[in-house]
Amino acid sequence: MTLIVAIDRSNTTDGRDVIEVLEKICNMVAGVKLGMPLLLKHDLNLLLNIRKICNNNIILDLKLADIGDIMVETAELFKNYADSIIAHSFIGKKDGIDKLKNFLDKNNMKLILVGSMSHMGSEEIYDKEINNIINIIKDVNPWGVVLPATRPEIIRTFRSKIGNEIKILSPGIGYQGAKPGTALCYGADYEIVGRSIMNAPDPKEATKVIIYEQKRGMYECKR
Amino acid sequence: MTLIVAIDRSNTTDGRDVIEVLEKICNMVAGVKLGMPLLLKHDLNLLLNIRKICNNNIILDLKLADIGDIMVETAELFKNYADSIIAHSFIGKKDGIDKLKNFLDKNNMKLILVGSMSHMGSEEIYDKEINNIINIIKDVNPWGVVLPATRPEIIRTFRSKIGNEIKILSPGIGYQGAKPGTALCYGADYEIVGRSIMNAPDPKEATKVIIYEQKRGMYECKR
C-alpha cells in the first residue's frame, strides 16, 4: 500500500466523522496521519477509538520543532497511543532531534523528519539548507522523511543521497496541486492525501480513485 | 515588566497546579507562555481559567511550522482564548507565515516568530540562515521575535537590524544556562523563565529573586 490518509481536523466534537471515514478506508491505506488541529481539539480517547478500527501506522503530525526536552514531553503524552511522530529536521540534532530520537527508540516509536515542505515558502529558507538537512537526516537515521510532491525533483535528490532504507512520505497531492503517482514516480514510498479524501462526498470512492490514479501514474512514470 | 513565565506542562489533570502558581505570580510577569505539552493535555477550559486570574499576554508556544492553511486551522481553535501565537520563521512567508499573519491580524492576535533557538542544534542549520530569517522577519513585521539568551550576541545582531519596534523575547534563562538580565542587556525586551519558577518550592519567591537578578544584571550591563 502506498497511500497515507491525512486528517487535520474533525467537524464533530467527539471525532465521530473521523471514525466513520476511517472505518470505510482503513484497509486501503498504509497509515493515518493526524494533524495538530485535530490533536489539540480532542483528547486521547479519539486515538484509542482510531486504534480500535485501524491498526495501521498512526502518525502524529505535530511538526515538532522545539528543544529536545519539550519535544520529549510532548511525545511522552502519546507513547501508548500512536506509532510515529513527525518533527522538523531544521532545528538540528544536538539537544534537539537526538533527544527525541532516543526517546522514540526506547518506546518503539518511529521518528519521521520533515526534509522540505509543500508550500512555496519552503524555497525561501528550508530548501536553501538542503545539503545540511540531508546530512542531519543521514546522521539521525529516522524511519521516514517528509518531502513535497509539489516539487518532486527534491524527492529524487533525497533518494539518491539517503539510500533506500529511509521511507519517503510525500504530501501535496490533490488540493495542493500534485497528481497522484507523481511522488511515487520520483522515488517516494507513500503519498499523503488529506482533503481530497476527507472532503469528498464519498471518501471510500475517492480513496479508490486515488489509488487507481497512483497506479496509472506509476505506469506512465519513466524514471 | 520584563519577565514572562513559561509553563510547559501540568502535574494535575485539571491544571490546578498551574492556576495556583499563576495566582501568586501573575501581577509580577508581563506574560504567560504556554507550551505544547500543556495545550495538548488540556482543553480550552484551562485557558479560560488562566484568563480569569491573569489578564496578561497569554502566549501559545506551539512553535507552529506547517503550511499556512494548517497553521490557520490551529490558530482558529484559540482565537478567543489567547493573545499571541509563536510560529517558526524558518518555514518561510509565501503560503506559510503570510496566511497565519493575516488570520491573526484579523482576530487581534499577535504573531511571535522564532528567529533562533536556545539549544545547541540551532547552530547546525537555523543560525546559518540568520540573514534570510532577518529579512523575512522585517518583511512580515510580527509583534515579537524569540531569540536565545544562551547565545546573546544573536540578540544584538537582530536588534541592530530589525529596529526597536519588534519585541524580543528570550528563553534559555536558568535551567538552560543563561543568567537573568543577560538577554535584556543584549537588547531583549522580555526574558522567558520556565523551570526555575515552576519547579521551585516557592514559585512566588523564585519569581521575586529572578526579577531582582534581572535588575542587577541590567545594572551591571555595559552595552
Side-chain angles (χ1 to χ4, degrees):
Chain A
M1 287 188 291
T2 52
L3 180 61
I4 290 172
V5 62
I7 307 175
D8 290 312
R9 63 171 170 180
S10 163
N11 295 319
T12 66
T13 47
D14 62 354
R16 187 62 228 163
D17 54 336
V18 170
I19 299 294
E20 279 169 11
V21 171
L22 284 179
E23 277 172 338
K24 290 174 191 149
I25 67 168
C26 178
N27 65 343
M28 295 189 278
V29 297
V32 180
K33 182 174 85 72
L34 303 173
M36 199 194 289
L38 187 82
L39 295 167
L40 281 164
K41 201 173 169 181
H42 295 84
D43 63 19
L44 294 168
N45 282 320
L46 179 64
L47 293 178
L48 280 179
N49 288 331
I50 289 175
R51 264 266 192 271
K52 279 180 200 158
I53 56 159
C54 207
N55 200 16
N56 276 349
N57 186 359
I58 306 293
I59 302 166
L60 305 181
D61 189 7
L62 292 163
K63 295 216 169 53
L64 296 181
D66 214 321
I67 60 171
D69 290 345
I70 304 293
M71 293 196 293
V72 167
E73 278 188 27
T74 302
E76 180 94 42
L77 297 175
F78 297 104
K79 72 180 177 185
N80 297 313
Y81 297 87
D83 303 286
S84 307
I85 289 188
I86 296 180
H88 271 289
S89 58
F90 71 73
I91 58 165
K93 190 181 170 194
K94 178 88 173 145
D95 289 340
I97 298 165
D98 53 1
K99 287 195 176 180
L100 179 63
K101 177 68 158 56
N102 284 343
F103 175 85
L104 295 176
D105 282 350
K106 277 183 197 152
N107 290 281
N108 294 313
M109 291 176 78
K110 300 180 182 88
L111 175 64
I112 300 172
L113 290 176
V114 178
S116 173
M117 297 175 69
S118 56
H119 68 303
M120 305 263 285
S122 187
E123 297 182 51
E124 295 167 25
I125 300 184
Y126 221 122
D127 292 357
K128 290 185 173 141
E129 289 294 323
I130 186 166
N131 291 327
N132 284 323
I133 284 173
I134 286 171
N135 286 338
I136 282 183
I137 285 169
K138 286 165 75 175
D139 190 13
V140 171
N141 194 29
W143 178 80
V145 179
V146 179
L147 297 171
T150 46
R151 294 191 306 288
E153 68 286 356
I154 289 180
I155 297 174
R156 188 174 279 157
T157 302
F158 268 75
R159 181 55 85 208
S160 73
K161 297 198 176 166
I162 64 174
N164 291 317
E165 288 299 307
I166 299 174
K167 306 291 182 197
I168 294 178
L169 297 72
S170 189
I173 312 283
Y175 270 64
Q176 288 184 68
K179 280 188 193 169
T182 308
L184 299 176
C185 179
Y186 279 78
D189 297 281
Y190 306 103
E191 291 181 337
I192 302 169
V193 178
R195 287 171 275 190
S196 301
I197 293 174
M198 297 307 291
N199 295 355
D202 184 339
K204 184 172 180 176
E205 205 49 42
T207 305
K208 281 184 188 169
V209 169
I210 290 164
I211 291 169
Y212 171 79
E213 287 176 345
Q214 281 186 321
K215 283 181 182 154
R216 193 176 55 187
M218 285 295 283
Y219 181 79
E220 289 170 358
C221 159
K222 290 175 184 68
R223 291 197 207 191
Chain B
M1 288 189 289
T2 52
L3 180 62
I4 290 172
V5 62
I7 308 175
D8 290 313
R9 62 172 169 183
S10 164
N11 296 318
T12 65
T13 47
D14 61 355
R16 188 63 227 163
D17 55 337
V18 169
I19 299 295
E20 279 168 12
V21 170
L22 283 181
E23 279 171 338
K24 289 174 192 148
I25 66 168
C26 177
N27 65 343
M28 293 189 279
V29 298
V32 180
K33 183 174 84 74
L34 304 172
M36 199 194 290
L38 187 81
L39 294 168
L40 281 164
K41 202 173 169 183
H42 296 85
D43 61 19
L44 293 168
N45 283 319
L46 179 65
L47 293 178
L48 280 180
N49 289 330
I50 288 174
R51 263 267 191 270
K52 280 181 201 159
I53 56 158
C54 208
N55 201 14
N56 276 348
N57 187 359
I58 306 294
I59 302 165
L60 305 181
D61 190 6
L62 291 163
K63 293 214 171 52
L64 295 181
D66 213 321
I67 60 172
D69 290 346
I70 304 293
M71 293 196 292
V72 167
E73 277 188 27
T74 302
E76 180 94 42
L77 297 175
F78 297 103
K79 71 179 175 186
N80 298 312
Y81 298 87
D83 304 286
S84 308
I85 289 190
I86 297 179
H88 272 287
S89 58
F90 202 92
I91 57 164
K93 190 181 169 194
K94 178 86 173 146
D95 289 341
I97 297 166
D98 53 0
K99 287 195 176 180
L100 180 62
K101 177 68 159 58
N102 284 343
F103 175 85
L104 295 177
D105 282 350
K106 278 184 197 150
N107 289 281
N108 293 313
M109 292 176 78
K110 301 180 182 89
L111 174 64
I112 301 171
L113 290 176
V114 178
S116 172
M117 296 176 70
S118 57
H119 68 303
M120 306 263 285
S122 186
E123 297 181 53
E124 295 167 25
I125 300 183
Y126 221 117
D127 292 357
K128 289 185 173 141
E129 290 293 328
I130 186 165
N131 290 328
N132 284 323
I133 285 173
I134 286 171
N135 286 339
I136 282 183
I137 285 169
K138 285 164 76 173
D139 190 14
V140 172
N141 193 30
W143 178 80
V145 179
V146 179
L147 298 170
T150 46
R151 295 191 306 288
E153 68 287 353
I154 288 180
I155 297 173
R156 188 173 280 158
T157 303
F158 269 75
R159 181 55 86 206
S160 72
K161 297 198 177 169
I162 64 173
N164 291 318
E165 288 298 307
I166 299 173
K167 307 291 182 196
I168 294 177
L169 296 71
S170 188
I173 312 283
Y175 270 65
Q176 288 185 68
K179 280 188 193 169
T182 308
L184 298 176
C185 180
Y186 279 78
D189 297 282
Y190 305 103
E191 291 182 338
I192 301 169
V193 178
R195 287 171 276 190
S196 302
I197 292 173
M198 297 308 292
N199 295 355
D202 183 340
K204 185 174 179 176
E205 204 50 41
T207 305
K208 281 185 189 169
V209 170
I210 289 164
I211 291 170
Y212 172 78
E213 288 176 346
Q214 281 187 320
K215 283 180 183 156
R216 194 175 55 188
M218 284 295 283
Y219 182 78
E220 289 168 359
C221 159
K222 290 177 185 64
R223 289 198 206 187

